[in-house]
Each structure stands twice: as C-alpha cells, then as structure tokens.
C-alpha cells in the first residue's frame, strides 16, 4: 500500500537537508542565486525579516504569485511561511505544492492560543523553538523539523546561540535522567511525556533541528554547527549583504566545513559588508519576534 | 573489518553510518580526498544533488571518486546518490560522476506532497521491504549490463551494474537492513576477489 504524508516521509525530507543551508528569497532571481550557491532549499517570502521589521504592520503569507515564481525557478525544495495558527494560509500553500511550510513567528500570529495541528497535513512543517518544552509541543502537534528561533532580522547571533544551547542542554539532561524522573520533567517543561521517553531512548531529538534567526556571516553559520545544529537557515543575512552570490557560497562552505578554520578565514576574505546588525537590548518586548508562539 | 565510506558533504549521513555499523563494518565519513584512502566501498547518500555537486567541485572530489570507481570499488547511491552515479540526467547537459550506465530523471514522482512509502519486493534481496521515496528520481533507461532489481509503478527504482548499486528510495530511513546488507555483500565479494 502506497502511503503519502507519513511521519517517516515528512521527517525524512528534513533528514535530507542536514548539513545544508536554507535561504530566504523574495523572487525567482534570488532563488536562482541561492540554488547556484548550493542552498539545500529556499524559503519564498514577500519580505525578508529585516524588512518586515522596518515595514511594521501585519506580516502575512507571501503573495501566491511570488511562491509560484520561486517554485518554477528552481529544482531544489521550496518552503514558505504561514502565520502561526492560520489553517487556511497553510492549506493554500500545501495546495500549491510547497515542499515544506514554516509556521513562523516572523509573521504576525493569526492565533494567540493555538498552533496548527500539523499532523493533519500531507505537507511537512518546520517550527521555531527556544527550549525543549516548546520544541516538544511542536513535535507533538506534528512538526517534522525544528529550528531554533533566534531573533530574526537582526543579524545578531546571540539569541540563536542562547536557544540552540538551551535546547541541546535540556536534551542532554533528559537523556541522562532516569525514566521515573521523566513525568515530572515533562510537567516542568510542558512537554509530552511520550516524547521525552523517545528522546531518552534515541539520545537526541526525533526530528532534525536547524538554527535560525541572526546568522549574518560564514563564521556565524559555522558556530551554529559547532553548537550542534543540523543545518542553518539564513534570512536577511544573504540578500542584505554587499555581495549576495559570494556571501551565499561562503555560508554554504562554512556550514559543510565548520571546523576547518583556515578555510573559513579564506572564504571570509573580501566578502564585503554583512548586513547591519541590531543590538537585541535596543528592541522592545513587542519587537521581539521570538516571544511569539506558545 | 571492511571500511565503507559515506560521502559526508550534506544529507542523510548519520542513517547510513548506523546501518553500516550495525552490519559489523567500519563507517568512514568522507569530506575530502584524503578520506577516500583504503576504502572497500563508498555510499553516496540522499540529500540535495545540486548542493552535493557544488561541494564536490569545490573540494575537488569528483576526479578522486571517479578514480575509485575506475579501480573497481563498489558504490551505492541512494536518491541524490543515484543522480550522482548516473551517466545521464534528463534535462541536464552533463552528468556528475557519470559512472553508472543509467539515465535518471530528477523529482520524477512529483514534489514533497507526493512523496510516499511503500513495501516492495526486490530481486535477490527479499519481500516486503519498506521503501521511502522523497522527491525521488527514477531510472528512465538502463544499459544492457544493468540488472533491474526493483520497479514501482513500472518505473525502475533499484538497479545494479557490476560494482554500482543505484536506488531511488531511502533504505537508510528504515530499520530494515536488507538493502545495505546486499551492498555490503557486493563489497565483500569484490574485496575477496582483490585479495586472491
């Protein structure tokens, strides 16, 4: 019996992306640059996060014309973002044949209480997380891939570092706990008990976990890999830099060879200026996208 | 102990390592030409073939892997790995490694929403083998020395040409070790021939 949309098929798709870089793009031209640089997938958006910050107002799913343009431009997988809890945006993207949906805090949430029941869909989902509780709740809802949230559109890696360290240290803690301690840990984390049992058994999260939110340089991407990310999302970092082609290539190489420091030095030369960064402390609580999601 | 390399530029590397080790062989991650030394076999994993190709070029791995193929070392490509092995890719002017006498078409079962799993019989391997197809390619045409081991919906999804084993799907995403075991037998036979 042939079955589509199974957990194995959806999680497996993310496994194929491991060690790779997923790049935000806003049109066919950028998508082709990303593909040529060696991106494993592109995220089709109307605006990159730093421009969403500047524009303010409500950020929604991209115009389907942009998504379609990107779908037709490249042969690598295409992802797109839907608002948290926006069932119809997600269904629309699924119907268009998008390969992965990001239920994303970068957009303005449509629901401040409930996330999507992602296990209901044939298309797989990626979701953001800042700690193991959030990660486990998203997996419980059916997310097939995770990414740490970081603080999108800032070009500042500090929040991404905080989140990947937090998630990984909490995973290590669960793995080292004895089984009779896990129910209380589940209660403390707000995580499904069964998932903690699975994490303990596997010794890791049951899905791929990328890093996102603030990657601006090849060294940032390599740092995320060093800290145990399975791969990297780069949003504003590439197309807000001086030389997107070079930047994109350099970030891909730094991700693959994240412990080859001589190589990272070589590819970081003469890259031009990375995107201008923002100090997180200057952001008001209402400007922090990472607080969205529950 | 047999040494099996896994091209580790990007993709499902960990899963292959687990299967290879469970079958009692040593798994070696290959990131540079150095790592290819003294391998008895090489696995080209699933991932994004365009990404892997870019990285193969940049780290000058294409020729050393071709040399390994010319020396008769068995190679097993799954999904993107099959695309790397093929002599011809539909819609593209040039192949990647271009060592296995098959023509492949990329993403030929559709996009991710069309990705699927199914159980199938594989000649010389067994029955009811779980096969996970993810944006999978298939073999459109095979040369005369290619043995067809499995088809799905009339499409060739697993084939062998001497030292090369090319697979559309992902045995490494399941607990079933039979396809990997088949490849390791290929490696063992080849290693024994060389020893005599």
């Amino acid at each position: 019996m042939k079955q589509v949309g199974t957990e194995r098929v959806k999680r497996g798709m993310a496994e194929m992306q491991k060690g790779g870089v997923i790049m935000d793009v806003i049109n066919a031209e950028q998508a082709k640059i990303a593909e040529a640089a060696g991106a494993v997938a592109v995220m089709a958006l109307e605006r990159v996060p730093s421009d969403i910050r500047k524009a303010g107002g409500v950020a929604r799913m991209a115009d389907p014309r942009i998504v379609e343009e990107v779908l037709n431009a490249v042969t690598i997988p295409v992802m797109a973002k839907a608002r948290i809890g926006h069932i119809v945006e997600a269904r629309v993207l699924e119907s268009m044949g998008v390969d992965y949906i990001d239920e994303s805090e970068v957009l303005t949430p449509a629901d401040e209480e409930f996330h999507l029941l992602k296990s209901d869909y044939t298309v797989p989902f990626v979701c953001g997380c800042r700690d193991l509780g959030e990660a486990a709740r998203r997996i419980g809802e059916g997310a097939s891939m995770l990414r740490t949230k970081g603080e999108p559109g800032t070009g500042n890696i500090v929040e991404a570092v905080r989140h990947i360290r937090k998630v990984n240290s909490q995973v290590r803690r669960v793995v080292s706990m004895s089984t009779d301690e896990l129910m209380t840990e589940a209660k403390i984390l707000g995580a499904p008990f069964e998932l903690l049992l699975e994490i303990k058994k596997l010794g890791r999260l049951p899905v791929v976990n990328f890093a996102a939110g603030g990657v601006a340089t090849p060294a940032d991407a390599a740092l995320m890999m060093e800290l145990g990310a399975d791969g990297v999302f780069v949003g504003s970092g590439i197309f807000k830099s001086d030389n997107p082609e070079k930047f994109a290539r350099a970030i891909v190489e730094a991700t693959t060879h994240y412990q080859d420091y001589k190589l990272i030095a070589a590819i970081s030369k003469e890259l031009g200026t990375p995107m201008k960064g923002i100090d997180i402390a200057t952001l008001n609580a209402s400007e922090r996208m990472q607080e969205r999601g529950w | 102990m047999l040494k099996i390399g896994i091209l580790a530029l990007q993709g499902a590397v960990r899963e292959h390592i687990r299967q290879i080790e469970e079958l009692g062989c040593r798994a070696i991650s290959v990131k540079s030409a150095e790592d290819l030394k003294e391998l008895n076999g090489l696995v080209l994993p699933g991932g994004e073939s365009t990404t892997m190709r870019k990285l193969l070029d940049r780290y000058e791995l294409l020729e050393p892997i071709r040399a390994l193929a010319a020396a008769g070392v068995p190679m097993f490509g799954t999904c993107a790995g099959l695309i790397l092995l093929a002599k011809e890719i539909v819609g593209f002017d040039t192949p990647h490694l271009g060592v296995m006498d098959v023509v492949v078409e990329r993403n030929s079962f559709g996009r991710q929403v069309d990705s699927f799993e199914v159980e199938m019989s594989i000649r010389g391997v067994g029955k009811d083998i779980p096969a996970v197809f993810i944006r999978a390619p298939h073999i459109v045409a095979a040369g005369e020395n290619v043995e067809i081991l499995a088809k799905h919906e009339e499409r060739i999804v697993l084939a062998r040409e001497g030292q090369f084993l090319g697979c559309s799907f992902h045995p490494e995403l399941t607990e079933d070790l039979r396809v990997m075991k088949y490849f390791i037998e290929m490696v063992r036979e080849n290693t024994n021939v060389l020893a005599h």
Side-chain angles (χ1 to χ4, degrees):
Chain A
M1 265 292 289
K2 178 174 162 176
Q3 290 177 290
V4 297
T6 61
E7 190 178 275
R8 199 146 63 176
V9 165
K10 295 199 283 188
R11 289 181 179 184
M13 161 79 202
E15 300 287 346
M16 298 308 140
Q17 305 261 293
K18 274 185 307 203
V21 181
I22 299 170
M23 302 183 190
D24 279 2
V25 299
I26 58 164
N27 55 37
E29 188 199 337
Q30 290 189 354
K32 284 183 176 150
I33 291 172
E35 183 176 46
V40 289
V42 290
M43 176 78 71
L45 285 161
E46 200 149 323
R47 282 193 279 265
V48 295
S50 66
D51 286 336
I52 290 175
R53 270 187 194 289
K54 274 190 212 137
V58 175
R60 309 179 179 90
M61 171 185 86
D63 183 332
R65 260 199 325 204
I66 294 176
V67 177
E68 196 169 59
E69 184 186 319
V70 173
L71 281 169
N72 292 331
V74 293
T75 60
I76 55 177
V78 174
M79 303 187 171
K81 288 184 194 291
R83 281 180 268 177
I84 290 173
H86 205 308
I87 299 164
V88 174
E89 282 189 353
R91 286 293 183 195
V92 167
L93 292 171
E94 180 181 51
S95 77
M96 292 181 71
V98 162
D99 295 299
Y100 236 92
I101 296 176
D102 184 359
E103 186 185 21
S104 178
E105 69 282 2
V106 168
L107 306 181
T108 311
D111 192 322
E112 295 196 332
E113 195 172 2
F114 302 112
H115 282 252
L116 295 168
L117 183 61
K118 293 161 279 285
S119 52
D120 251 10
Y121 295 69
T122 304
V123 67
F125 280 81
V126 55
C127 284
C129 62
R130 290 177 299 174
D131 56 45
L132 183 56
E134 201 173 11
R137 289 192 294 278
R138 298 296 86 81
I139 298 170
E141 292 154 357
S144 311
M145 177 182 188
L146 294 168
R147 52 173 178 74
T148 49
K149 286 178 168 175
E151 189 54 48
T154 60
N156 188 339
I157 200 69
V158 66
E159 295 301 302
V161 168
R162 191 191 317 282
H163 300 159
I164 195 92
R165 277 199 184 271
K166 182 82 182 277
V167 171
N168 286 343
S169 78
Q170 289 175 315
V171 166
R172 284 194 298 270
R173 182 178 147 84
V174 165
V175 172
S176 67
M177 286 175 113
S178 73
T179 307
D180 61 4
E181 294 168 335
L182 287 182
M183 183 57 88
T184 298
E185 185 69 2
K187 180 182 158 195
I188 293 166
L189 291 172
F193 172 64
E194 289 70 19
L195 256 168
L196 297 193
L197 287 174
E198 193 182 353
I199 289 167
K200 179 168 170 59
K201 191 173 133 213
L202 289 172
R204 58 174 169 81
L205 286 167
V207 302
V208 166
N209 186 20
F210 273 44
V215 175
T217 66
D220 287 347
L223 174 62
M224 292 293 98
M225 298 301 288
E226 181 74 46
L227 293 177
D230 290 316
V232 179
F233 279 87
V234 187
S236 321
I238 289 167
F239 291 99
K240 288 289 164 189
S241 71
D242 269 0
N243 187 337
E245 277 100 344
K246 255 179 126 172
F247 239 88
R249 263 203 319 269
I251 287 182
V252 169
E253 287 191 48
T255 304
T256 308
H257 292 274
Y258 62 93
Q259 286 176 322
D260 187 340
Y261 309 116
K262 280 189 179 145
L263 178 94
I264 296 170
I267 58 179
S268 301
K269 276 182 203 159
E270 289 159 35
L271 269 185
T273 318
M275 69 178 285
K276 191 172 180 303
I278 300 173
D279 186 342
I280 306 295
T282 65
L283 293 176
N284 296 323
S286 64
E287 293 171 314
R288 287 156 60 106
M289 292 173 175
Q290 60 172 285
E291 312 289 342
R292 299 164 169 175
W294 13 93
Chain B
M1 191 188 273
L2 291 175
K3 278 196 207 167
I4 314 274
I6 306 104
L7 185 66
L9 296 174
Q10 188 270 315
V13 178
R14 172 172 78 199
E15 291 75 6
H16 279 296
I17 292 179
R18 177 180 54 83
Q19 289 205 343
I20 290 166
E21 288 176 348
E22 273 184 47
L23 289 165
C25 300
R26 202 169 140 206
I28 314 259
S29 293
V30 174
K31 280 199 172 192
S32 70
E34 281 281 285
D35 306 324
L36 292 170
K37 281 179 193 160
E38 295 169 21
L39 291 184
N40 302 109
L42 180 65
V43 174
L44 307 166
E48 285 306 317
S49 63
T50 51
T51 305
M52 285 192 213
R53 172 58 193 269
K54 303 258 145 62
L55 294 165
L56 282 171
D57 283 345
R58 238 169 276 162
Y59 301 112
E60 294 168 353
L61 270 165
L62 218 49
E63 283 312 321
I65 295 176
R66 280 193 190 125
L68 209 63
V73 171
M75 295 190 182
F76 175 26
T78 62
C79 197
L82 165 64
I83 297 167
L84 294 181
L85 287 175
K87 275 202 174 138
E88 197 181 325
I89 305 162
V90 175
F92 291 80
D93 295 335
T94 51
H96 302 305
L97 292 165
V99 291
M100 183 175 176
D101 194 10
V102 292
V103 182
V104 299
E105 186 181 341
R106 293 179 59 204
N107 302 337
S108 62
F109 291 91
R111 304 199 69 98
Q112 173 59 18
V113 285
D114 308 305
S115 294
F116 61 95
E117 60 179 288
V118 71
E119 291 199 332
M120 63 171 145
S121 296
I122 299 174
R123 192 202 286 193
V125 179
K127 282 183 179 169
D128 303 323
I129 294 170
V132 184
F133 291 77
I134 295 176
R135 288 170 48 95
H138 87 282
I139 297 173
V140 181
E144 56 179 324
N145 296 323
V146 177
E147 186 189 2
I148 293 159
L149 301 178
K151 282 188 177 183
H152 176 72
E153 292 174 349
E154 297 308 306
R155 295 167 175 195
I156 305 169
V157 293
L158 182 65
R160 174 179 178 179
E161 183 195 15
Q163 78 200 83
F164 302 114
L165 186 64
C167 186
S168 293
F169 52 91
H170 295 283
E172 77 278 12
L173 290 181
T174 72
E175 303 300 313
D176 196 305
L177 298 173
R178 285 177 285 178
V179 178
M180 181 60 84
K181 203 170 164 198
Y182 181 89
F183 174 65
I184 286 173
E185 279 311 309
M186 281 169 59
V187 174
R188 203 179 305 279
E189 280 165 27
N190 182 65
T191 309
N192 289 343
V193 169
L194 291 181
H196 289 104

